[in-house]
Amino acid sequence: MLAMLIALSAPVTSSAQFGGLKKKMKDKVIGDVQPAAAEASPATSTTTGDPDAKARQDAWQHPIAISSATLDAFVKAIKAENAERAKFLASAPPSSAIGRWSAYKAAKAKCESDRVNSDSAQSRLQQKMMAEATAGHGENIQKYTDSIMALGTAEQARQQKCDSLARPTINEEDYKAVHAEEDREEAAGAAAGGLSPFVYARLKERVIAYTLLPNGWKPGGYSPDELSAIDARKAEIKSLIGKEFNNSGQRNPVGS
């Protein structure tokens, strides 16, 4: 959170503000996360002969103003990007990096869901057992005790299984493949929103960074009108980004 606040307090033109577009400018694979202060500025991170260097630098240093109209474009773009991601996930081979990571996350989520359900079931049984005891129906208590014991045994087995889940290994080639897919999805989103890829990337960084801040926090680098425009649609934006994006406007890296 401290790093995010430092980033958000910098001027719009600062090289330390957000990391997503800058990461693209350095052509880094996803998962290669470095502190913002250690990164080169956009002006020095482009390579000689790169035909997109100026467009990247312009998008970074002169971001499009955030308004109701640009948020309309952002919403169209992020919906299209999410749709591309959904299609990719549906068709990704189980053996691929994203397939393995998605399966692992799903298994971990099920473990947590099962744990919560087990705790709730035990709590309900304990309440019923106490009610029977309070009412003087001691003959009914044993069945609840047996059920609680059975749930406890099942919970221990579930916990052992969940603890043994193997976190998939993601290598550099995997990261490169997923990064290329993210670029494709983002380009599809930019096209849907009628924006250039670099303008969309920068807009996405700024919109998501502010949206993920706690309510009432007012960072630097935004005009009052920009903050008001995002505030008016923050709930809608949050529903579109879910838990998939971080405060740099990028999808959470595979393996994180």
Side-chain angles (χ1 to χ4, degrees), residues 49-72:
D50 180 359
D52 296 323
K54 187 177 186 305
R56 287 192 183 95
Q57 186 168 328
D58 286 347
W60 175 264
Q61 294 182 337
H62 307 289
I64 187 173
I66 299 171
S67 65
S68 178
T70 51
L71 286 177
D72 285 341

Side-chain angles (χ1 to χ4, degrees), residues 190-235:
L195 303 166
S196 78
F198 303 129
V199 168
Y200 172 50
R202 187 70 166 111
L203 175 65
K204 187 166 68 168
E205 287 174 356
R206 300 184 70 227
V207 170
I208 292 178
Y210 176 59
T211 298
L212 292 181
L213 277 178
N215 288 334
W217 291 41
K218 303 298 183 185
Y222 298 81
S223 72
D225 287 344
E226 287 181 317
L227 295 181
S228 295
I230 300 173
D231 283 336
R233 302 178 70 168
K234 189 175 283 189

